[in-house]
């Protein structure tokens, strides 16, 4: 096992050195009796994955479709059961043909679902909103003013649609629906960096999830002592800090299941030759 799943489970798949012994009838038992034959062997175990073949098939189809439509350099799709942390499907582009491994590159073989680090953008607003709701600093109906911009120090924060319209007075639910950077920046400011970082760490950001695959990255959180007001604002709507796809999905699953952060896993069970 050189990489990925086989590398992670190499010791289990490879097995341990040993011998098996059996009696062999030579056909001359009346003269010589039977003889013992020793056979050198390696007894490895079998791993059974959590992947759902139907979901994986759809994921592979969508990856190809997205690559054709968007011409993106990198794409990854990851599906997880929020009630267990079980990985149901995982794929990325670029990819490679395992039958032609020798002609593949390290970049083609990289599992982007666990190794890609990036600014999550507006998908991260789910995390900020969950922290704010849990802390009781707002309700879904709390009203915020969104003129389309927000001045913090010498910087101006705008929305993706600020050049088209200003939202005016909107509820937090409406701000989430319309993906308002201005409102989420206000929410982050009210949370404060100490509480915000407590939730970032509780949701598993800034560290590896511990998924049973080789090559996982840990993402990157700006050191809390270096966080300026503008940093707190931008990280509230998914900029500044870096995450991995599996980190983000694991955190979102914790919100979906009511608050339990499960460790993701891809091996369902391990069996020996007798099952």
């Amino acid at each position: 096992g050189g990489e990925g799943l086989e590398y992670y489970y190499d010791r289990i798949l490879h097995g341990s050195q040993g011998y098996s012994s059996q009696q062999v009838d030579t056909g001359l038992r009346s003269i010589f009796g039977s003889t013992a034959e020793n056979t050198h062997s390696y007894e490895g175990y079998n791993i059974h994955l959590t992947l759902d073949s139907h979901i994986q098939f759809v994921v592979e189809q969508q990856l190809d479709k997205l690559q054709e439509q968007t011409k993106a350099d990198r794409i990854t799709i990851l599906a997880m059961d929020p009630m267990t942390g079980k990985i149901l499907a995982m794929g990325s582009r670029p990819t490679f043909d395992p039958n032609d491994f020798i002609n593949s590159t390290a970049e083609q073989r990289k599992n982007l679902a666990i190794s890609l680090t990036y600014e999550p953008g507006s998908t991260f607003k789910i995390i900020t909103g969950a922290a704010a709701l849990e802390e009781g600093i707002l309700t879904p109906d709390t009203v915020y003013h969104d003129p389309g911009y927000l001045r913090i120090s010498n910087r101006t924060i705008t929305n993706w649609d600020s050049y088209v319209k200003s939202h005016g007075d909107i509820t937090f639910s409406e701000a989430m629906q319309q993906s308002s950077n201005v409102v989420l920046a206000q929410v982050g400011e009210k949370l404060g960096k100490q509480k915000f970082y407590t939730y970032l760490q509780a949701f598993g950001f800034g560290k590896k999830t511990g998924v049973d695959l080789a090559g996982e990255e840990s993402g990157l959180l700006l050191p809390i002592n270096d966080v300026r007001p503008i940093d707190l604002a931008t990280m509230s709507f998914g900029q500044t800090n870096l995450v991995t796809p599996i980190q983000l999905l694991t955190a979102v699953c914790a919100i979906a299941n009511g608050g339990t952060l499960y460790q993701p896993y891809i091996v369902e069970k391990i069996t020996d030759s007798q099952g």
Side-chain angles (χ1 to χ4, degrees):
E3 298 178 44
L5 186 66
E6 286 196 60
Y7 178 81
Y8 189 93
Y9 282 100
D10 185 61
R11 182 179 58 84
I12 286 169
L13 292 167
H14 185 271
S16 57
Q17 184 174 326
Y19 291 89
S20 62
S21 179
Q22 65 182 80
Q23 292 294 114
V24 177
D25 190 344
T26 64
L28 299 172
R29 180 172 298 175
S30 59
I31 303 174
F32 300 107
S34 61
T35 62
E37 184 179 86
N38 290 322
T39 305
H40 195 116
S41 67
Y42 284 87
E43 173 95 7
Y45 294 96
N46 305 305
I47 59 174
H48 304 257
L49 306 188
T50 60
L51 299 179
D52 182 302
S53 60
H54 299 290
I55 301 175
Q56 185 69 38
F57 179 74
V58 173
V59 163
E60 297 293 342
Q61 281 187 318
Q62 290 300 309
L63 285 166
D64 289 337
K65 185 177 179 180
L66 285 167
Q67 191 170 43
E68 183 179 348
Q69 289 177 342
T70 67
K71 309 302 181 187
D73 293 329
R74 294 177 295 180
I75 308 171
T76 184
I77 301 178
L78 182 61
M80 187 185 300
D81 180 353
M83 305 310 294
T84 61
K86 182 187 298 185
I87 295 172
L88 302 175
M90 173 186 285
S92 58
R93 299 291 184 272
T95 188
F96 70 101
D97 180 359
N99 294 312
D100 192 24
F101 177 86
I102 195 168
N103 290 316
S104 65
T105 66
E107 190 64 26
Q108 290 172 326
R109 298 193 301 270
K110 188 176 289 185
N111 186 345
L112 298 180
I114 65 170
S115 64
L116 176 66
T117 56
Y118 68 107
E119 289 185 335
S122 292
T123 54
F124 203 77
K125 290 172 181 171
I126 301 169
I127 308 301
T128 306
L133 287 166
E134 183 72 14
E135 284 297 305
I137 67 172
L138 55 78
T139 71
D141 298 321
T142 299
V143 176
Y144 288 89
H145 185 60
D146 180 359
Y149 67 92
L150 180 67
R151 289 286 295 177
I152 297 179
S153 302
N154 62 342
R155 296 272 299 277
T156 301
I157 287 173
T158 59
N159 296 322
W160 64 275
D161 58 352
S162 289
Y163 69 98
V164 176
K165 63 179 179 178
S166 61
H167 298 299
D169 292 333
I170 56 175
T171 66
F172 177 67
S173 290
E174 292 170 332
M176 290 291 284
Q177 291 164 13
Q178 299 179 48
S179 195
S180 169
N181 293 344
V182 170
V183 169
L184 268 292
Q186 295 176 61
V187 172
E189 182 180 32
K190 194 165 185 181
L191 260 176
K193 68 179 183 180
Q194 294 292 341
K195 283 184 179 177
F196 192 52
Y197 264 68
T198 297
Y199 281 91
L200 291 180
Q201 292 164 352
F203 274 119
F205 296 107
K207 59 187 177 185
K208 296 178 181 181
T209 65
V211 63
D212 48 345
L213 284 166
E216 183 182 14
E217 297 290 342
S218 59
L220 182 66
L221 294 182
L222 186 67
I224 190 169
N225 293 332
D226 296 339
V227 174
R228 304 164 298 168
I230 186 63
D231 298 319
L232 180 60
T234 56
M235 65 178 61
S236 298
F237 52 82
Q239 298 177 11
T240 304
N241 291 326
L242 303 179
V243 305
T244 64
I246 198 166
Q247 276 181 341
L248 184 61
L249 183 58
T250 302
V252 171
C253 281
I255 295 170
N257 69 34
T260 302
L261 188 75
Y262 287 107
Q263 178 175 320
Y265 64 98
I266 197 166
V267 169
E268 181 78 73
K269 61 182 178 180
I270 301 169
T271 60
D272 60 17
S273 57
Q274 278 74 50

